[in-house]
Amino acid sequence: MQIAAGAVVVFDYVLTDSDDHPIDSGSGPSGMAYIHGQGQIVPGLEKALDGKSVGDRVQAVLSPEEGYGPEEEQDEVRVPRADLPPDLELEAGAELVGTDDEGESDTFWVVEVEGDEVVLTRTHPLAGVTLKFDVTVTKVRAATEEELEHGHAHEGEDHHH
Ligand code: ZN
């Protein structure tokens, strides 16, 4: 079947920046799995995968706008380490999702830990970066009702509840 909205897609990938420096990669069980058409992967790659099928290779160079967005003004915030869950891994680039008083969730990334304070930013670590994807589609199937309800694919190592 071809990749279309509502399909679960699994792919092997190699991601580099425009100078071919490796950023991330995964294959087989650690490949990427997502539900197509829901904005679960960067917009440029989702568009490039539309209509493809198993075995197809997609090589795409994405501007920051088609990737994780443009680099923004410094928007760092400092929070006391004690205000964050104690089991949280605080390496640079780690992602954390907070919820404000109105129940809106907001995603932050760790910039660094300074003494008993943690510096966080709302800007994705790959904002402003041109992304080169080399992707091979390994699986395409219809999403189950459960997956559509959960809003994620039940595939591979990344799936946990
Ligand atoms: Zn689930």
Side-chain angles (χ1 to χ4, degrees), residues 43-60:
L45 185 60
E46 187 161 52
K47 200 168 131 207
L49 283 166
D50 202 61
K52 298 291 187 289
S53 23
V54 171
D56 282 349
R57 183 174 180 195
V58 172
Q59 289 170 292

Side-chain angles (χ1 to χ4, degrees), residues 79-90 96-98 118:
V79 295
R81 176 67 182 91
D83 285 1
L84 296 170
D87 58 343
L88 206 64
E89 262 190 70
L90 293 173
L96 42 134
V97 180
V118 182

Side-chain angles (χ1 to χ4, degrees), residues 146-147 149-154 159-161:
E146 193 188 38
E147 286 172 320
E149 219 170 88
H150 289 191
H152 56 233
H154 290 171
H159 173 247
H160 37 77
H161 287 102

Side-chain angles (χ1 to χ4, degrees), residues 5-9 33-40 46 143 147-148 151-153:
V8 166
V9 181
Y34 76 101
I35 303 175
H36 193 76
Q38 301 195 351
Q40 296 181 0
E46 187 161 52
E147 286 172 320
L148 292 172
H152 56 233

